[in-house]
Amino acid sequence: MHYTDAGLTKLVSDAQSEVLAAALPHQERAAAKMKALVDRFEANLRNLTPSQRKEVLGALRALVDHYS
């Protein structure tokens, strides 16, 4: 192992690549699960009255703004 700046930079870069490759399947499953939940949420919105829909969407906007 080379303990030069270039050697350490490569070591960190290789480690980051390994972590990203290992995490990708978990991220893909999480994204698919979230997409399914969004689809269910949309279907449920259609069953609300306009005033209920407005209230729910307002709460959702506040939540999104909180994490923006």
Side-chain angles (χ1 to χ4, degrees):
M1 181 177 303
H2 303 284
Y3 289 105
T4 63
D5 286 347
L8 291 173
T9 299
K10 180 168 178 8
L11 183 64
V12 169
S13 177
D14 291 348
Q16 287 175 333
S17 295
E18 287 180 32
V19 169
L20 289 173
L24 186 60
H26 302 287
Q27 292 170 332
E28 289 172 345
R29 283 194 300 275
K33 185 176 180 178
M34 184 165 285
K35 172 72 170 86
L37 290 170
V38 167
D39 291 343
R40 283 181 37 205
F41 178 75
E42 179 188 15
N44 284 314
L45 276 177
R46 285 188 230 119
N47 296 324
L48 299 177
T49 65
S51 63
Q52 290 170 325
R53 193 176 303 125
K54 183 178 179 180
E55 184 179 344
V56 169
L57 291 174
L60 183 59
R61 281 186 194 99
L63 181 63
V64 169
D65 289 345
H66 177 75
Y67 288 99
S68 295

